PDB file of all heavy atoms in Angstrom:
ATOM      1  N   ILE A  12       0.852  -1.188   0.000  1.00 95.00           N
ATOM      2  CA  ILE A  12       0.000   0.000   0.000  1.00 95.00           C
ATOM      3  C   ILE A  12       0.890   1.240   0.000  1.00 95.00           C
ATOM      4  O   ILE A  12       1.613   1.495   0.963  1.00 95.00           O
ATOM      5  CB  ILE A  12      -0.909   0.028   1.245  1.00 95.00           C
ATOM      6  CG1 ILE A  12      -1.672  -1.289   1.396  1.00 95.00           C
ATOM      7  CG2 ILE A  12      -1.860   1.213   1.187  1.00 95.00           C
ATOM      8  CD1 ILE A  12      -2.308  -1.466   2.768  1.00 95.00           C
ATOM      9  N   VAL A  13       0.860   2.007  -1.067  1.00 89.00           N
ATOM     10  CA  VAL A  13       1.646   3.232  -1.151  1.00 89.00           C
ATOM     11  C   VAL A  13       0.937   4.321  -0.353  1.00 89.00           C
ATOM     12  O   VAL A  13      -0.215   4.666  -0.642  1.00 89.00           O
ATOM     13  CB  VAL A  13       1.835   3.674  -2.614  1.00 89.00           C
ATOM     14  CG1 VAL A  13       2.604   4.980  -2.679  1.00 89.00           C
ATOM     15  CG2 VAL A  13       2.557   2.586  -3.402  1.00 89.00           C
ATOM     16  N   THR A  14       1.608   4.842   0.658  1.00 91.00           N
ATOM     17  CA  THR A  14       0.992   5.837   1.548  1.00 91.00           C
ATOM     18  C   THR A  14       1.702   7.188   1.513  1.00 91.00           C
ATOM     19  O   THR A  14       1.130   8.196   1.923  1.00 91.00           O
ATOM     20  CB  THR A  14       1.009   5.340   2.996  1.00 91.00           C
ATOM     21  OG1 THR A  14       2.372   5.125   3.400  1.00 91.00           O
ATOM     22  CG2 THR A  14       0.221   4.045   3.143  1.00 91.00           C
ATOM     23  N   GLY A  15       2.955   7.209   1.056  1.00 89.00           N
ATOM     24  CA  GLY A  15       3.712   8.453   1.048  1.00 89.00           C
ATOM     25  C   GLY A  15       4.240   8.851   2.410  1.00 89.00           C
ATOM     26  O   GLY A  15       4.716   9.977   2.598  1.00 89.00           O
ATOM     27  N   GLU A  16       4.164   7.948   3.400  1.00 92.00           N
ATOM     28  CA  GLU A  16       4.631   8.288   4.741  1.00 92.00           C
ATOM     29  C   GLU A  16       6.140   8.545   4.745  1.00 92.00           C
ATOM     30  O   GLU A  16       6.887   7.969   3.950  1.00 92.00           O
ATOM     31  CB  GLU A  16       4.276   7.185   5.737  1.00 92.00           C
ATOM     32  CG  GLU A  16       4.813   5.808   5.356  1.00 92.00           C
ATOM     33  CD  GLU A  16       4.328   4.721   6.292  1.00 92.00           C
ATOM     34  OE1 GLU A  16       4.502   4.874   7.514  1.00 92.00           O
ATOM     35  OE2 GLU A  16       3.812   3.710   5.795  1.00 92.00           O
ATOM     36  N   LYS A  17       6.557   9.412   5.645  1.00 96.00           N
ATOM     37  CA  LYS A  17       7.954   9.829   5.720  1.00 96.00           C
ATOM     38  C   LYS A  17       8.561   9.357   7.032  1.00 96.00           C
ATOM     39  O   LYS A  17       8.093   9.728   8.101  1.00 96.00           O
ATOM     40  CB  LYS A  17       8.054  11.352   5.622  1.00 96.00           C
ATOM     41  CG  LYS A  17       7.395  11.949   4.389  1.00 96.00           C
ATOM     42  CD  LYS A  17       7.325  13.462   4.485  1.00 96.00           C
ATOM     43  CE  LYS A  17       6.583  14.066   3.301  1.00 96.00           C
ATOM     44  NZ  LYS A  17       6.435  15.537   3.436  1.00 96.00           N
ATOM     45  N   PHE A  18       9.629   8.537   6.938  1.00 97.00           N
ATOM     46  CA  PHE A  18      10.306   8.049   8.137  1.00 97.00           C
ATOM     47  C   PHE A  18      11.384   9.045   8.552  1.00 97.00           C
ATOM     48  O   PHE A  18      12.167   9.525   7.728  1.00 97.00           O
ATOM     49  CB  PHE A  18      10.966   6.704   7.876  1.00 97.00           C
ATOM     50  CG  PHE A  18       9.993   5.565   7.706  1.00 97.00           C
ATOM     51  CD1 PHE A  18      10.445   4.301   7.367  1.00 97.00           C
ATOM     52  CD2 PHE A  18       8.633   5.739   7.884  1.00 97.00           C
ATOM     53  CE1 PHE A  18       9.571   3.238   7.213  1.00 97.00           C
ATOM     54  CE2 PHE A  18       7.735   4.688   7.723  1.00 97.00           C
ATOM     55  CZ  PHE A  18       8.220   3.431   7.395  1.00 97.00           C
ATOM     56  N   ALA A  19      11.439   9.331   9.858  1.00 98.00           N
ATOM     57  CA  ALA A  19      12.426  10.272  10.387  1.00 98.00           C
ATOM     58  C   ALA A  19      12.725   9.929  11.835  1.00 98.00           C
ATOM     59  O   ALA A  19      12.098   9.033  12.421  1.00 98.00           O
ATOM     60  CB  ALA A  19      11.898  11.705  10.282  1.00 98.00           C
ATOM     61  N   MET A  20      13.678  10.638  12.421  1.00 98.00           N
ATOM     62  CA  MET A  20      13.974  10.478  13.844  1.00 98.00           C
ATOM     63  C   MET A  20      13.109  11.426  14.650  1.00 98.00           C
ATOM     64  O   MET A  20      12.963  12.593  14.295  1.00 98.00           O
ATOM     65  CB  MET A  20      15.449  10.766  14.120  1.00 98.00           C
ATOM     66  CG  MET A  20      16.370   9.723  13.544  1.00 98.00           C
ATOM     67  SD  MET A  20      18.082  10.033  13.964  1.00 98.00           S
ATOM     68  CE  MET A  20      18.848   8.720  13.011  1.00 98.00           C
ATOM     69  N   MET A  21      12.555  10.912  15.737  1.00 98.00           N
ATOM     70  CA  MET A  21      11.725  11.727  16.624  1.00 98.00           C
ATOM     71  C   MET A  21      12.580  12.245  17.772  1.00 98.00           C
ATOM     72  O   MET A  21      13.451  11.525  18.288  1.00 98.00           O
ATOM     73  CB  MET A  21      10.566  10.894  17.152  1.00 98.00           C
ATOM     74  CG  MET A  21       9.555  11.650  17.973  1.00 98.00           C
ATOM     75  SD  MET A  21       8.067  10.643  18.291  1.00 98.00           S
ATOM     76  CE  MET A  21       8.739   9.399  19.406  1.00 98.00           C
ATOM     77  N   MET A  22      12.323  13.479  18.180  1.00 98.00           N
ATOM     78  CA  MET A  22      13.068  14.103  19.267  1.00 98.00           C
ATOM     79  C   MET A  22      12.104  14.863  20.167  1.00 98.00           C
ATOM     80  O   MET A  22      10.978  15.188  19.762  1.00 98.00           O
ATOM     81  CB  MET A  22      14.144  15.039  18.706  1.00 98.00           C
ATOM     82  CG  MET A  22      15.127  14.348  17.764  1.00 98.00           C
ATOM     83  SD  MET A  22      16.383  15.447  17.043  1.00 98.00           S
ATOM     84  CE  MET A  22      17.410  15.750  18.490  1.00 98.00           C
ATOM     85  N   PRO A  23      12.514  15.168  21.410  1.00 98.00           N
ATOM     86  CA  PRO A  23      11.646  15.979  22.269  1.00 98.00           C
ATOM     87  C   PRO A  23      11.281  17.292  21.591  1.00 98.00           C
ATOM     88  O   PRO A  23      12.071  17.845  20.819  1.00 98.00           O
ATOM     89  CB  PRO A  23      12.520  16.212  23.507  1.00 98.00           C
ATOM     90  CG  PRO A  23      13.440  15.031  23.543  1.00 98.00           C
ATOM     91  CD  PRO A  23      13.747  14.725  22.105  1.00 98.00           C
ATOM     92  N   LYS A  24      10.100  17.787  21.867  1.00 98.00           N
ATOM     93  CA  LYS A  24       9.609  19.002  21.225  1.00 98.00           C
ATOM     94  C   LYS A  24      10.611  20.139  21.380  1.00 98.00           C
ATOM     95  O   LYS A  24      11.045  20.468  22.483  1.00 98.00           O
ATOM     96  CB  LYS A  24       8.264  19.391  21.851  1.00 98.00           C
ATOM     97  CG  LYS A  24       7.556  20.541  21.149  1.00 98.00           C
ATOM     98  CD  LYS A  24       7.050  20.128  19.788  1.00 98.00           C
ATOM     99  CE  LYS A  24       6.206  21.231  19.151  1.00 98.00           C
ATOM    100  NZ  LYS A  24       5.743  20.862  17.794  1.00 98.00           N
ATOM    101  N   ASP A  25      10.993  20.735  20.223  1.00 97.00           N
ATOM    102  CA  ASP A  25      11.918  21.875  20.186  1.00 97.00           C
ATOM    103  C   ASP A  25      13.245  21.567  20.875  1.00 97.00           C
ATOM    104  O   ASP A  25      13.839  22.422  21.560  1.00 97.00           O
ATOM    105  CB  ASP A  25      11.277  23.116  20.813  1.00 97.00           C
ATOM    106  CG  ASP A  25       9.995  23.520  20.102  1.00 97.00           C
ATOM    107  OD1 ASP A  25       9.943  23.397  18.859  1.00 97.00           O
ATOM    108  OD2 ASP A  25       9.045  23.958  20.785  1.00 97.00           O
ATOM    109  N   SER A  26      13.741  20.351  20.717  1.00 98.00           N
ATOM    110  CA  SER A  26      15.018  19.936  21.301  1.00 98.00           C
ATOM    111  C   SER A  26      16.151  20.866  20.879  1.00 98.00           C
ATOM    112  O   SER A  26      16.208  21.320  19.729  1.00 98.00           O
ATOM    113  CB  SER A  26      15.347  18.515  20.856  1.00 98.00           C
ATOM    114  OG  SER A  26      16.695  18.189  21.122  1.00 98.00           O
ATOM    115  N   ASP A  27      17.089  21.122  21.799  1.00 97.00           N
ATOM    116  CA  ASP A  27      18.233  21.969  21.456  1.00 97.00           C
ATOM    117  C   ASP A  27      19.234  21.247  20.565  1.00 97.00           C
ATOM    118  O   ASP A  27      20.196  21.841  20.095  1.00 97.00           O
ATOM    119  CB  ASP A  27      18.921  22.486  22.727  1.00 97.00           C
ATOM    120  CG  ASP A  27      19.431  21.373  23.646  1.00 97.00           C
ATOM    121  OD1 ASP A  27      19.287  20.184  23.288  1.00 97.00           O
ATOM    122  OD2 ASP A  27      19.973  21.694  24.723  1.00 97.00           O
ATOM    123  N   LYS A  28      18.996  19.955  20.323  1.00 98.00           N
ATOM    124  CA  LYS A  28      19.860  19.171  19.434  1.00 98.00           C
ATOM    125  C   LYS A  28      19.245  18.992  18.050  1.00 98.00           C
ATOM    126  O   LYS A  28      19.870  18.416  17.154  1.00 98.00           O
ATOM    127  CB  LYS A  28      20.149  17.799  20.043  1.00 98.00           C
ATOM    128  CG  LYS A  28      20.934  17.832  21.356  1.00 98.00           C
ATOM    129  CD  LYS A  28      21.144  16.425  21.892  1.00 98.00           C
ATOM    130  CE  LYS A  28      22.024  16.416  23.123  1.00 98.00           C
ATOM    131  NZ  LYS A  28      21.424  17.139  24.251  1.00 98.00           N
ATOM    132  N   LEU A  29      18.021  19.475  17.859  1.00 98.00           N
ATOM    133  CA  LEU A  29      17.285  19.207  16.625  1.00 98.00           C
ATOM    134  C   LEU A  29      17.969  19.791  15.394  1.00 98.00           C
ATOM    135  O   LEU A  29      18.180  19.084  14.397  1.00 98.00           O
ATOM    136  CB  LEU A  29      15.864  19.755  16.741  1.00 98.00           C
ATOM    137  CG  LEU A  29      14.966  19.620  15.504  1.00 98.00           C
ATOM    138  CD1 LEU A  29      14.793  18.162  15.111  1.00 98.00           C
ATOM    139  CD2 LEU A  29      13.599  20.275  15.756  1.00 98.00           C
ATOM    140  N   GLU A  30      18.316  21.065  15.419  1.00 98.00           N
ATOM    141  CA  GLU A  30      18.904  21.702  14.249  1.00 98.00           C
ATOM    142  C   GLU A  30      20.256  21.092  13.896  1.00 98.00           C
ATOM    143  O   GLU A  30      20.573  20.895  12.719  1.00 98.00           O
ATOM    144  CB  GLU A  30      19.048  23.207  14.479  1.00 98.00           C
ATOM    145  CG  GLU A  30      17.726  23.970  14.520  1.00 98.00           C
ATOM    146  CD  GLU A  30      17.017  23.992  13.176  1.00 98.00           C
ATOM    147  OE1 GLU A  30      17.657  23.689  12.142  1.00 98.00           O
ATOM    148  OE2 GLU A  30      15.807  24.311  13.154  1.00 98.00           O
ATOM    149  N   GLN A  31      21.061  20.771  14.913  1.00 98.00           N
ATOM    150  CA  GLN A  31      22.366  20.164  14.652  1.00 98.00           C
ATOM    151  C   GLN A  31      22.202  18.782  14.033  1.00 98.00           C
ATOM    152  O   GLN A  31      22.878  18.448  13.056  1.00 98.00           O
ATOM    153  CB  GLN A  31      23.176  20.062  15.942  1.00 98.00           C
ATOM    154  CG  GLN A  31      24.590  19.510  15.725  1.00 98.00           C
ATOM    155  CD  GLN A  31      25.369  19.345  17.021  1.00 98.00           C
ATOM    156  OE1 GLN A  31      24.812  19.458  18.112  1.00 98.00           O
ATOM    157  NE2 GLN A  31      26.655  19.077  16.907  1.00 98.00           N
ATOM    158  N   ALA A  32      21.295  17.977  14.603  1.00 98.00           N
ATOM    159  CA  ALA A  32      21.068  16.642  14.046  1.00 98.00           C
ATOM    160  C   ALA A  32      20.549  16.728  12.618  1.00 98.00           C
ATOM    161  O   ALA A  32      20.956  15.946  11.746  1.00 98.00           O
ATOM    162  CB  ALA A  32      20.073  15.885  14.919  1.00 98.00           C
ATOM    163  N   ASN A  33      19.662  17.685  12.360  1.00 98.00           N
ATOM    164  CA  ASN A  33      19.104  17.825  11.013  1.00 98.00           C
ATOM    165  C   ASN A  33      20.173  18.243  10.011  1.00 98.00           C
ATOM    166  O   ASN A  33      20.195  17.766   8.871  1.00 98.00           O
ATOM    167  CB  ASN A  33      17.965  18.839  11.021  1.00 98.00           C
ATOM    168  CG  ASN A  33      17.063  18.689   9.822  1.00 98.00           C
ATOM    169  OD1 ASN A  33      16.289  17.745   9.735  1.00 98.00           O
ATOM    170  ND2 ASN A  33      17.162  19.616   8.869  1.00 98.00           N
ATOM    171  N   GLN A  34      21.079  19.140  10.429  1.00 98.00           N
ATOM    172  CA  GLN A  34      22.163  19.558   9.529  1.00 98.00           C
ATOM    173  C   GLN A  34      23.102  18.403   9.227  1.00 98.00           C
ATOM    174  O   GLN A  34      23.567  18.244   8.095  1.00 98.00           O
ATOM    175  CB  GLN A  34      22.948  20.721  10.150  1.00 98.00           C
ATOM    176  CG  GLN A  34      24.065  21.259   9.253  1.00 98.00           C
ATOM    177  CD  GLN A  34      23.556  21.726   7.903  1.00 98.00           C
ATOM    178  OE1 GLN A  34      22.629  22.539   7.836  1.00 98.00           O
ATOM    179  NE2 GLN A  34      24.131  21.212   6.823  1.00 98.00           N
ATOM    180  N   ILE A  35      23.365  17.577  10.231  1.00 98.00           N
ATOM    181  CA  ILE A  35      24.221  16.407  10.008  1.00 98.00           C
ATOM    182  C   ILE A  35      23.565  15.453   9.011  1.00 98.00           C
ATOM    183  O   ILE A  35      24.236  14.893   8.132  1.00 98.00           O
ATOM    184  CB  ILE A  35      24.516  15.695  11.344  1.00 98.00           C
ATOM    185  CG1 ILE A  35      25.435  16.567  12.204  1.00 98.00           C
ATOM    186  CG2 ILE A  35      25.168  14.331  11.100  1.00 98.00           C
ATOM    187  CD1 ILE A  35      25.639  16.040  13.616  1.00 98.00           C
ATOM    188  N   LEU A  36      22.252  15.265   9.120  1.00 98.00           N
ATOM    189  CA  LEU A  36      21.545  14.421   8.149  1.00 98.00           C
ATOM    190  C   LEU A  36      21.680  14.993   6.737  1.00 98.00           C
ATOM    191  O   LEU A  36      21.900  14.239   5.771  1.00 98.00           O
ATOM    192  CB  LEU A  36      20.069  14.301   8.522  1.00 98.00           C
ATOM    193  CG  LEU A  36      19.741  13.374   9.692  1.00 98.00           C
ATOM    194  CD1 LEU A  36      18.280  13.515  10.091  1.00 98.00           C
ATOM    195  CD2 LEU A  36      20.045  11.919   9.344  1.00 98.00           C
ATOM    196  N   SER A  37      21.566  16.307   6.607  1.00 98.00           N
ATOM    197  CA  SER A  37      21.751  16.946   5.290  1.00 98.00           C
ATOM    198  C   SER A  37      23.156  16.693   4.767  1.00 98.00           C
ATOM    199  O   SER A  37      23.350  16.377   3.584  1.00 98.00           O
ATOM    200  CB  SER A  37      21.494  18.454   5.388  1.00 98.00           C
ATOM    201  OG  SER A  37      20.129  18.730   5.580  1.00 98.00           O
ATOM    202  N   ASP A  38      24.149  16.822   5.646  1.00 98.00           N
ATOM    203  CA  ASP A  38      25.538  16.581   5.247  1.00 98.00           C
ATOM    204  C   ASP A  38      25.733  15.131   4.820  1.00 98.00           C
ATOM    205  O   ASP A  38      26.438  14.854   3.836  1.00 98.00           O
ATOM    206  CB  ASP A  38      26.486  16.912   6.405  1.00 98.00           C
ATOM    207  CG  ASP A  38      26.488  18.391   6.770  1.00 98.00           C
ATOM    208  OD1 ASP A  38      26.050  19.212   5.935  1.00 98.00           O
ATOM    209  OD2 ASP A  38      26.924  18.725   7.892  1.00 98.00           O
ATOM    210  N   MET A  39      25.122  14.191   5.545  1.00 98.00           N
ATOM    211  CA  MET A  39      25.233  12.772   5.206  1.00 98.00           C
ATOM    212  C   MET A  39      24.597  12.469   3.856  1.00 98.00           C
ATOM    213  O   MET A  39      25.082  11.614   3.102  1.00 98.00           O
ATOM    214  CB  MET A  39      24.586  11.923   6.297  1.00 98.00           C
ATOM    215  CG  MET A  39      25.344  11.916   7.619  1.00 98.00           C
ATOM    216  SD  MET A  39      24.416  11.102   8.961  1.00 98.00           S
ATOM    217  CE  MET A  39      24.321   9.418   8.340  1.00 98.00           C
TER     218      MET A  39
END
């Protein structure tokens, strides 16, 4: 069943590590 769902890492709301982790994913 094609749903278009997007898998990602979940983090605490507005985590202070969110932007850094997201930038590392972009770099990877």
Side-chain angles (χ1 to χ4, degrees):
I12 308 165
V13 178
T14 60
E16 56 186 307
K17 305 170 184 176
F18 289 175
M20 291 183 185
M21 186 169 69
M22 303 178 72
K24 188 70 174 178
D25 301 323
S26 166
D27 59 2
K28 296 179 175 63
L29 177 60
E30 290 293 344
Q31 183 183 10
N33 199 73
Q34 182 57 53
I35 290 172
L36 284 171
S37 289
D38 295 341
M39 290 171 64

